[in-house]
Amino acid sequence: MEKQIDNRLRGEAGLTQSEVTAGHRVIRKVSEDPPKHGENVRLAIDLDLQRFAYNRLSKERSGSVVVMDLKDGGIRTMCSYPAYDPNMFVDGISHKNWNALREDRYDVLMNKSVSGQYAPGSTFKLIVDMAGLEAGVMNLYETVFCGGGVQLGRHLFKCWKAGGHGTVNLESALAGSCNVYHYRMAERIGVEKIAAMAHKLGLGQKTDLNFIAERPGLVPSEVWKRDKYDRPWLKGETYNTGIGQGYVLATPMQLATMAARIATGKRVSPTLYSDPGADFPNLDLKPENLRRVQEAMARVVTGGTAGRSRLPFDQFQMAGKTGTSQVARGTAKDRAARLVDEFKRWKQQNHAIFVGFAPTSAPKYAIAVVIEHGG
């Protein structure tokens, strides 16, 4: 914040000209140009909530939390753990302390909220469902049978649930996070329409926060792969994209933006300033399609994979979506090293992700949480 708005906050120095003797005794004031105050800027950050989020994250090894106010996009909390004491830099940091920060195993110098890029996992299924409903190739009642996987050539694309979910529709597939349903629907929708919806909901692009180290994430498409690798897109890659794996990458800030836009149907954009007069344009999504996805997200929390995230308040509830972001397993040598190295075992666990908004009846806040290697 200081870097971005220093000139606005600084104001202008004043100047007083005086006639003085050789001994610096003031004889008279010749002129005076009083100083000018800088602007007052109200930030959206809630200090108590920021402190609470950091203390909660400190029970984990590494992660990020973003909470966004839906009325103006104000970031109420943007927390990255672990962090460092910036006072170390005030008088010039020592080589020892700098090397310790630079070599920290948990990437302490990275603001994971805007620079951490993760496969969004099953949280990306929200985008697939919105794309399918908007394209008119999915509906609330059509069912798909999940027997535990889909065979494509010699490869079995598995569902996370051994034995499968049985017969599911859109709502039960999202509540149970069924992979097979979303393999089938992603194939039907096509990766280009999925990519277009991902961009509309805030993925694959930097926000307007203007952080130097912010990363854009990645939303793959046939054109992107051709430009990047000079190879055609494969059906199996559509399956992987449909469950938020493969090439797809997103930051926690983008995931919070996605949740905010689904909750409101508006192009909510994150900001670090409080702006009571903010007004966001509509996303041109059909209200009935938004409502269907919102209701399915509510079921995720009330009776699906996020049951433990249900809020302990009768008067309002939360809608959400869980995600498990798979990480590379490494070589056989890496796997052997994990047996004797506790840190390497931790690094091989999947990331745990949650996105949501609350209250479901009249959404006020959106949230995204990533616990690195949280299982």
Side-chain angles (χ1 to χ4, degrees), residues 107-292:
D107 294 320
V108 68
L109 288 173
M110 178 190 291
N111 181 350
K112 297 178 176 70
S113 297
V114 294
S115 301
Q117 297 187 118
Y118 310 91
S122 292
T123 63
F124 194 79
K125 292 171 182 174
L126 298 170
I127 288 173
V128 173
D129 291 345
M130 280 302 312
L133 289 169
E134 285 292 301
V137 298
M138 285 172 56
N139 63 63
L140 189 62
Y141 308 105
E142 181 184 5
T143 61
V144 169
F145 179 77
C146 170
V150 174
Q151 192 73 39
L152 182 62
R154 292 181 294 179
H155 185 77
L156 178 65
F157 286 82
K158 295 181 180 179
C159 189
W160 69 268
K161 185 175 183 180
H165 289 86
T167 300
V168 292
N169 59 17
L170 186 151
E171 188 173 281
S172 60
L174 197 61
S177 202
C178 177
N179 286 356
V180 169
Y181 179 90
H182 289 91
Y183 292 146
R184 295 297 192 194
M185 294 303 160
E187 179 183 2
R188 181 185 298 179
I189 300 163
V191 71
E192 298 304 316
K193 287 190 172 88
I194 294 172
M197 182 59 66
H199 285 296
K200 179 175 281 194
L201 295 179
L203 272 61
Q205 59 217 316
K206 292 182 180 181
T207 66
D208 295 328
L209 294 172
N210 294 321
F211 282 100
I212 291 174
E214 184 177 5
R215 306 291 295 277
L218 175 61
V219 174
S221 66
E222 294 182 27
V223 173
W224 169 84
K225 188 184 178 187
R226 194 178 306 115
D227 291 343
K228 178 77 173 176
Y229 297 109
D230 194 25
R231 289 187 302 208
W233 186 264
L234 304 175
K235 183 185 290 188
E237 291 169 328
T238 299
Y239 284 6
N240 281 333
T241 300
I243 62 168
Q245 295 291 162
Y247 300 114
V248 191
L249 294 171
T251 67
M253 185 64 68
Q254 291 170 342
L255 293 175
T257 301
M258 174 187 74
R261 292 184 178 185
I262 291 174
T264 63
K266 295 186 175 183
R267 194 177 295 277
V268 179
S269 296
T271 176
L272 293 169
Y273 310 105
S274 179
D275 182 9
D279 186 24
F280 300 110
N282 289 324
L283 285 170
D284 296 323
L285 298 172
K286 294 177 181 176
E288 61 270 26
N289 292 336
L290 277 168
R291 187 178 66 254
R292 286 162 181 162

Side-chain angles (χ1 to χ4, degrees), residues 85-106:
D85 182 1
N87 290 315
M88 297 167 64
F89 290 87
V90 171
D91 296 316
I93 192 169
S94 68
H95 287 292
K96 179 181 177 181
N97 286 338
W98 171 246
N99 288 333
L101 292 177
R102 190 168 55 86
E103 297 167 6
D104 184 87
R105 297 197 295 182
Y106 299 103

Side-chain angles (χ1 to χ4, degrees), residues 317-331:
Q317 284 300 318
M318 177 166 61
K321 183 71 191 79
T322 55
T324 303
S325 175
Q326 295 179 5
V327 300
R329 297 303 179 194
T331 64

